[in-house]
Amino acid sequence: MYICGGVTPELHGARIELQAIAVCHAPALYEIWTHPAVGPWLNAPPLESACDAGQLIELLLQMSREEESLRWSIALPDGKIIGSCGYNQWQLAGAYRGEIGCELSPVYWGQGYMRETLELMLDFGFGTMGLNRIEALCHPGNTRAAGLFRALGFSQEGLLRQYRHTGAGFQDAALFALLRSDRQK
């Protein structure tokens, strides 16, 4: 059973590294989080500046220290930050499930970086954290995310009507899930 003690471990893939999100990543993440092709899909408050992104990162770091969430920046070998990902929440006792979230700079879409990222996260969730079920929520219109989740073996289990409230109003969320036993097939 995973207890992180407020420390986010680094995870290494063939082409990317997942490093603990840091305030120094705020300028790069601000550009990604506010990109017109990314921002509308996020369940996050509107950001006006890199300073706002830094404050959001501080909140995410506090949540990590309190073991309420776990967030990584996705980095290339040269250190360039191209996205972020993490466990928005998890519940071990009685449920052994977690919910993931992720976003990537559109410059890197379609090149397998997010698939590699999610593979690292799934291995960590099922292996180190001891999860049995990993969930992902996405806007029903986000066909790229839905397609990636399906390609990784997730099943769409339903539609959560008016699940989130954003600046655009109430939004539905598609619920995808992957079980440990699905991953082992």
Side-chain angles (χ1 to χ4, degrees):
M1 196 176 300
Y2 179 71
I3 303 295
C4 70
V7 177
T8 303
E10 287 189 358
L11 304 179
H12 301 274
R15 300 178 305 149
I16 54 108
E17 177 181 282
L18 302 186
Q19 23 180 272
I21 198 168
V23 174
C24 64
H25 302 160
L29 291 174
Y30 171 74
E31 293 300 320
I32 296 165
W33 291 340
T34 60
H35 190 284
V38 176
W41 305 120
L42 300 180
N43 182 30
L47 303 172
E48 300 295 327
S49 66
C51 182
D52 287 351
Q55 290 174 350
L56 178 56
I57 291 168
E58 287 285 358
L59 175 64
L60 293 168
L61 290 168
Q62 180 61 35
M63 291 171 69
S64 177
R65 286 188 290 273
E66 295 171 2
E67 295 189 357
E68 293 178 12
S69 73
L70 187 60
R71 198 79 185 172
W72 290 280
S73 288
I74 305 166
L76 296 176
D78 66 3
K80 180 177 177 74
I81 303 299
I82 63 170
S84 79
C85 63
Y87 281 87
N88 299 333
Q89 59 184 343
W90 65 84
Q91 180 183 358
L92 294 177
Y96 299 96
R97 67 179 176 86
E99 177 193 308
I100 60 171
C102 54
E103 62 280 332
L104 187 69
S105 168
V107 172
Y108 297 94
W109 288 1
Q111 298 174 45
Y113 288 107
M114 188 52 75
R115 183 181 185 108
E116 184 177 344
T117 295
L118 291 174
E119 292 279 3
L120 288 171
M121 288 179 58
L122 294 172
D123 289 347
F124 182 79
F126 288 128
T128 304
M129 293 176 76
L131 299 175
N132 181 60
R133 175 185 170 91
I134 297 176
E135 300 171 348
L137 299 174
C138 72
H139 187 283
N142 191 342
T143 57
R144 292 185 68 83
L148 179 56
F149 294 137
R150 285 188 185 100
L152 288 166
F154 282 75
S155 297
Q156 184 172 351
E157 295 186 339
L159 181 69
L160 305 173
R161 297 181 318 136
Q162 297 187 5
Y163 187 73
R164 297 178 173 152
H165 187 266
T166 69
F170 289 101
Q171 291 183 348
D172 296 344
L175 171 63
F176 291 85
L178 181 68
L179 303 179
R180 177 192 299 270
S181 59
D182 297 335
R183 183 102 165 133
Q184 295 169 343
K185 293 179 185 175

